[in-house]
Amino acid sequence: MVYKGGPEAASRDADTLKRFEGMDSGGNVEVAKLLEEMREHTEALAKQRKHEDPRLSFSTPEFKEFSRRFTDNFKKNFGKPIEWGLIKRFPWSQPQLEKLEVPVDHEGNPWPMDKEGKPILKEDQ
């Protein structure tokens, strides 16, 4: 899907509203209500588009590629212990990347170790 917002979409919405207003003969109350509702909706969309940024679209090829790579890398680490972490030694210090003394799971519980002191990984990997 391609990004469909911005000034182009706003002008298309305004043109559609003008086209429907041109078709109105002015005699039907329901048509007048629908046109007023359409006018309010078009104005609301125009206000929203004022703050819109096309770079934040989730349908861009760049985002899809990033999402795919992230998911693939996330799956690679499934079932493995966490051996590195951001450690904050004191409340006033900055977190630093350090090797953990004991590998842990995603909940912070110690990972099971074998007799040699190496983490036990799942069999299906």
Side-chain angles (χ1 to χ4, degrees):
M1 187 195 286
V2 179
Y3 173 70
K4 296 182 179 177
E8 300 87 20
S11 65
R12 282 194 309 268
D13 291 345
D15 293 342
T16 304
L17 178 61
K18 287 178 186 174
R19 193 174 77 237
F20 280 111
E21 285 175 338
M23 288 189 242
D24 180 29
S25 61
N28 193 340
V29 177
E30 290 182 18
V31 172
K33 285 182 182 178
L34 286 173
L35 281 173
E36 183 59 35
E37 185 178 328
M38 190 174 182
R39 191 175 300 111
E40 290 171 2
H41 185 70
T42 304
E43 290 171 7
L45 285 175
K47 288 178 184 176
Q48 287 179 350
R49 284 190 180 107
K50 184 171 50 173
H51 304 292
E52 186 172 75
D53 187 353
R55 296 172 296 176
L56 300 178
S57 175
F58 295 110
S59 61
T60 60
E62 294 85 5
F63 180 81
K64 288 180 181 177
E65 176 64 18
F66 167 78
S67 179
R68 184 192 63 76
R69 278 189 282 137
F70 178 83
T71 305
D72 290 347
N73 290 333
F74 184 77
K75 288 178 185 175
K76 287 178 190 173
N77 291 323
F78 238 40
K80 294 183 181 177
I82 299 169
E83 299 185 67
W84 291 81
L86 287 173
I87 307 295
K88 192 173 184 178
R89 294 279 177 207
F90 306 102
W92 58 84
S93 63
Q94 292 291 323
Q96 292 184 338
L97 186 64
E98 296 180 17
K99 188 166 178 77
L100 302 176
E101 296 170 5
V102 177
V104 296
D105 64 6
H106 68 281
E107 294 177 349
N109 302 321
W111 192 268
M113 307 290 253
D114 62 8
K115 293 177 184 173
E116 299 170 3
K118 295 183 181 179
I120 300 173
L121 300 178
K122 289 184 178 179
E123 297 295 324
D124 55 35
Q125 292 189 10

